[in-house]
Amino acid sequence: MVLQNRLGYGFNGYQVPPTPRATRSPRRGSIRKKVDDNQMCAFDLLATVAGKLLLEGQVSPSSSNTLTGKEPCAVAKDSIKKEQLDYDSALKVPSNLVSRAPDLHFSTKEFPVAHIDDCSILASVITSSDCSEKIGCAEKLVNDESKIQPGSSKVEPLRARNASNVTKAYMCTLDKLAVRYRKPPALISQENCVKVPLGTGHVSFPAYQDVVNIAVRDDDENSSGCTQPSTTKTAFRPSPRIGDRRIRKILASKFWKAAPKLKDGEYFTAETKPGYHNRKNCYKRKRSLRDYPLKKRILYDGRSLSNSDGGITSEGISSSPRKGFSCDASGSGATLHGAFGTTSGVASRHTPFQSRDSHVKLRIRSFKVPELFIEIPETATVGSLKRNVMEAVNAILGGGLRVGVLLQGKKIRDDNKTLLQTGLAHDNKLDALGFSLEPTVSQAPPPLCNEDHPLLLSCNAPQPLTRYPPAPSVVHNIVEQSAADALPDPPLTSVGSFVESDHDSAPSPPDMSDKSPMDSRALVTIPEMDAEALAVVPMRKSKRSEAVQRRIRRPFSVSEVEALVHAVEKLGTGRWRDVKLLAFDNAKHRTYVDLKDKWKTLVHTARISPQQRRGEPVPQVLLDRVLDAHAYWSQQQAKQQLKQQSDTCLLL
DNA sequence: ATTAGGG
DNA sequence: CCCTAAT
């Protein structure tokens, strides 16, 4: 820019260092906004297997958790290790996973949340069968695209120009996802396994419709399923202003407590966290709320559950906010109630209970499983969402879980004891009986993504996605890049935003367009950049705490480096915020800290021998410029300091 | 909110 | 990339 040149470029094209604070004040406001955008750049879906999918207005999973990275397996292992270490914490996650899969005889009362995951998990636990069933279940659920976006005939990439719209869209979508459950054929046969035979006839489960609308409010009407009918719900549901980019989760904790008050069909809650700025915060949850043991309630089933098809669902499930429902109790009390027909219409329809023989009949009514953390870009397609959820679920189901039995809160470890010996055979004990899903400690759970799970792979591959592959020629093992869309936010590109789109794959320096031949590497770069786009990770956070996800790794592409170098040459090394604004204003995921860090590594890279460098090679020319600029600005900085020192001395 | 550095 | 201290 002319003005800039006049004001201050130094000889080398370097700009004269601005006065310390002067240059930044004017942009303060805008910058803040940018940050928000960054945080929104990828939606983190926090899905408890409980059927709640949460949205996070920010990016965070670390590369180590990324499934789509180049070393998926390694990554998976990594997360697994953590998981094992955090075995304890996992149990504390109150993912209210209470859902009910009709076929499996699971029903929920307090939590009108029906999720694939539950079904899948239950199915797997119960059947101990292969993954196909589990997956099938999960897939079914997510698969129901028509339900996902009732309004539209086709499923389009979930994205929108406006962040708030995106958010809403996701909310709605997820809403649906959590609500619909399509019984996978494979599971049908498993039904009987669930219940313990009762005397003569075993309870039979009427064939349920294929699609069960589990307790849910139908927000098909309001495009923004987020808007709530007011009333008490307001407290738990996302407020309309969710548009605010940082819509935060909700979740488990909130939900847990809110559940009792939920009205018919409500199963999803969310809250916004206005003050949220720091990524970390968003994962914070009150410890107290997450300490609930993961256990599923079991129901002493006096009668066959049967027919409460849709009925069970909506009514039974949601309508009764049980007061008795408390956090710790996991609502077991309420569950029981319902079972006996006290509460829901479900139970009432059942045949009277009769304990004809020594068989104890149990019915699992709710199940809670560890949370799943999924990060997916807003530009991801429904198809990719499917896969991600599926993978995440599968990862958990794939062997990482075992079932624990609890009696009055205490774990029963002796597998050889009979129910009679344990006391479980007594009616009065049944309500104290609980089950829990626990991470397998002894052995490593299956990696999220590995050869052992052909299903996973197969899912990835065939899935036809409504998306535009970046470069057909580039075959990568990465899951897929879903963010191959246009710039989410058409930048009002002005000066020097070299890196525009969020998926830096296409940083568009003017010269980039037709330089493809020369820079064949660019093709390779693309997939890499977006590799992290789809990251699914079963969330095993560290101990007690809040799941602070590490951001996914996003290697700088050559063009990004170029832009960075250019900006630093001009602005210097101490003005990262300005660098960000100048060259990465549109790269939502690059923060000034990132840029600073990158510069640091670039300098280091430039100093070491080419053989020692790793990753995508950075053109030597660029590295040379890095060194030059670094030297120049270091010198400038030194000078400045001297000057300041002398100034202060004079004053003194 | 930014910067600067160590990890 | 993360985390912090210091601005």
Side-chain angles (χ1 to χ4, degrees):
Chain A
M1 273 186 132
V2 179
L3 184 57
Q4 281 187 318
N5 278 324
R6 278 192 28 205
L7 290 183
Y9 276 79
F11 55 98
N12 276 314
Y14 294 149
Q15 189 177 326
V16 169
T19 48
R21 287 274 160 200
T23 58
R24 59 185 62 147
S25 48
R27 287 173 288 205
R28 268 255 144 91
S30 64
I31 234 314
R32 191 162 295 160
K33 192 136 202 276
K34 289 308 179 188
V35 171
D36 284 346
D37 283 344
N38 285 339
Q39 296 172 329
M40 222 35 193
C41 102
F43 283 97
D44 295 340
L45 300 183
L46 201 60
T48 67
V49 183
K52 271 180 280 89
L53 293 174
L54 298 186
L55 290 177
E56 292 256 54
Q58 77 135 11
V59 209
S60 24
S62 70
S63 55
S64 59
N65 292 326
T66 303
L67 258 186
T68 53
K70 284 188 170 178
E71 314 155 337
C73 295
V75 166
K77 284 173 190 165
D78 187 47
S79 61
I80 283 164
K81 281 182 200 164
K82 272 189 182 172
E83 171 179 357
Q84 295 183 326
L85 293 177
D86 298 333
Y87 165 79
D88 208 66
S89 69
L91 296 179
K92 293 171 184 167
V93 179
S95 20
N96 54 330
L97 215 244
V98 193
S99 73
R100 87 196 203 29
D103 296 323
L104 293 177
H105 261 240
F106 300 141
S107 65
T108 305
K109 188 158 269 300
E110 296 76 27
F111 296 97
V113 181
H115 201 66
I116 8 152
D117 310 83
D118 318 25
C119 302
S120 301
I121 289 177
L122 288 177
S124 73
V125 170
I126 290 171
T127 66
S128 290
S129 55
D130 67 304
C131 297
S132 61
E133 285 168 339
K134 308 160 193 169
I135 302 252
C137 197
E139 180 167 34
K140 278 304 182 184
L141 179 160
V142 187
N143 224 357
D144 205 341
E145 297 183 357
S146 59
K147 304 281 200 299
I148 292 174
Q149 296 185 311
S152 60
S153 54
K154 61 191 174 189
V155 178
E156 299 181 333
L158 296 177
R159 60 182 286 269
R161 284 238 169 303
N162 173 311
S164 45
N165 284 342
V166 173
T167 300
K168 285 180 183 175
Y170 262 114
M171 295 288 269
C172 295
T173 301
L174 294 177
D175 245 49
K176 307 288 183 189
L177 284 180
V179 174
R180 260 85 183 212
Y181 166 66
R182 180 166 295 197
K183 175 174 69 178
L187 292 180
I188 299 177
S189 58
Q190 309 297 348
E191 297 176 358
N192 297 338
C193 301
V194 177
K195 62 156 184 30
V196 177
L198 169 68
T200 56
H202 61 283
V203 181
S204 63
F205 307 87
Y208 292 91
Q209 311 95 312
D210 246 350
V211 178
V212 177
N213 194 324
I214 299 178
V216 199
R217 76 165 191 282
D218 195 349
D219 31 346
D220 285 7
E221 323 91 273
N222 35 355
S223 53
S224 75
C226 308
T227 48
Q228 60 265 71
S230 72
T231 65
T232 64
K233 312 162 179 181
T234 314
F236 328 108
R237 315 199 102 260
S239 67
R241 61 192 274 277
I242 237 169
D244 178 339
R245 317 354 211 149
R246 41 286 250 218
I247 79 175
R248 208 293 176 229
K249 78 54 142 25
I250 20 164
L251 284 253
S253 50
K254 250 345 193 217
F255 189 84
W256 195 257
K257 286 203 164 170
K261 288 187 175 182
L262 292 178
K263 286 291 197 86
D264 220 306
E266 281 199 64
Y267 61 91
F268 187 92
T269 62
E271 76 180 320
T272 56
K273 191 167 181 179
Y276 162 67
H277 280 299
N278 184 333
R279 160 176 21 95
K280 289 182 271 185
N281 295 334
C282 101
Y283 292 91
K284 286 189 176 163
R285 251 161 270 171
K286 297 285 181 179
R287 199 321 197 232
S288 58
L289 292 177
R290 338 180 81 216
D291 288 351
Y292 309 129
L294 266 178
K295 65 181 174 187
K296 66 192 174 190
R297 277 111 70 226
I298 271 225
L299 205 46
Y300 190 104
D301 192 40
R303 54 247 127 228
S304 76
L305 221 222
S306 73
N307 15 18
S308 19
D309 45 80
I312 298 198
T313 16
S314 319
E315 306 148 32
I317 292 182
S318 49
S319 56
S320 50
R322 302 254 107 284
K323 21 186 134 209
F325 181 77
S326 63
C327 304
D328 65 347
S330 304
S332 56
T335 304
L336 259 179
H337 265 311
F340 286 95
T342 321
T343 339
S344 68
V346 180
S348 55
R349 289 202 229 137
H350 299 318
T351 56
F353 170 92
Q354 311 178 0
S355 52
R356 354 231 308 228
D357 50 34
S358 55
H359 288 283
V360 176
K361 192 171 182 181
L362 307 172
R363 187 176 76 199
I364 298 171
R365 297 207 91 201
S366 62
F367 221 127
K368 284 182 287 178
V369 299
E371 288 178 321
L372 280 182
F373 183 85
I374 298 174
E375 180 182 276
I376 190 169
E378 61 187 51
T379 51
T381 59
V382 171
S384 66
L385 173 59
K386 268 189 234 174
R387 289 196 322 264
N388 280 278
V389 173
M390 224 153 65
E391 287 167 16
V393 172
N394 189 57
I396 290 187
L397 299 179
L401 294 175
R402 63 174 186 177
V403 175
V405 176
L406 304 111
L407 181 55
Q408 291 183 324
K410 278 175 292 187
K411 206 174 268 186
I412 298 178
R413 299 172 185 283
D414 191 344
D415 292 344
N416 296 317
K417 278 188 179 177
T418 64
L419 295 184
L420 197 60
Q421 294 175 315
T422 314
L424 283 176
H426 300 303
D427 301 11
N428 60 334
K429 289 286 186 180
L430 285 173
D431 56 352
L433 177 62
F435 290 99
S436 63
L437 292 183
E438 311 163 343
T440 305
V441 195
S442 51
Q443 64 206 23
L448 282 181
C449 172
N450 87 8
E451 328 63 50
D452 297 341
H453 292 264
L455 276 167
L456 271 181
L457 297 179
S458 60
C459 294
N460 290 340
Q463 284 261 18
L465 298 184
T466 41
R467 100 156 49 80
Y468 355 103
S473 54
V474 182
V475 182
H476 256 266
N477 51 355
I478 60 172
V479 171
E480 232 166 324
Q481 79 119 348
S482 56
D485 56 292
L487 319 176
D489 264 290
L492 309 176
T493 339
S494 50
V495 203
S497 259
F498 295 90
V499 182
E500 318 197 302
S501 63
D502 186 74
H503 61 292
D504 9 75
S505 49
S508 31
D511 50 337
M512 218 40 196
S513 37
D514 42 36
K515 149 180 154 180
S516 46
M518 175 211 131
D519 197 336
S520 59
R521 182 173 43 236
L523 285 178
V524 182
T525 311
I526 293 176
E528 267 187 276
M529 294 308 299
D530 304 279
E532 334 76 29
L534 300 178
V536 180
V537 135
M539 175 133 146
R540 321 300 195 198
K541 43 315 211 42
S542 38
K543 270 300 146 54
R544 40 137 17 54
S545 64
E546 344 300 292
V548 182
Q549 301 298 308
R550 189 189 176 89
R551 285 162 70 212
I552 48 181
R553 185 160 177 273
R554 296 180 146 192
F556 276 69
S557 63
V558 173
S559 31
E560 280 184 300
V561 171
E562 207 282 326
L564 175 59
V565 172
H566 184 274
V568 174
E569 284 177 337
K570 195 187 297 183
L571 302 171
T573 53
R575 302 164 62 194
W576 302 107
R577 189 192 76 115
D578 292 328
V579 169
K580 154 76 177 170
L581 255 38
L582 174 61
F584 293 79
D585 200 20
N586 293 299
K588 310 301 183 188
H589 56 291
R590 303 297 190 197
T591 67
Y592 43 75
V593 175
D594 291 331
L595 302 181
K596 182 217 59 178
D597 287 343
K598 180 54 184 175
W599 183 260
K600 181 173 63 176
T601 63
L602 275 176
V603 171
H604 177 259
T605 299
R607 288 170 170 166
I608 61 179
S609 69
Q611 294 74 45
Q612 295 176 295
R613 297 168 192 162
R614 288 184 300 177
E616 214 187 329
V618 177
Q620 188 57 44
V621 257
L622 277 179
L623 294 177
D624 290 342
R625 287 168 65 188
V626 167
L627 287 182
D628 289 343
H630 187 262
Y632 173 78
W633 288 108
S634 293
Q635 190 187 326
Q636 290 299 306
Q637 220 159 39
K639 285 183 182 176
Q640 277 262 306
Q641 284 195 339
L642 278 179
K643 202 182 214 170
Q644 281 190 342
Q645 277 190 0
S646 60
D647 283 352
T648 54
C649 285
L650 287 177
L651 286 179
L652 297 179

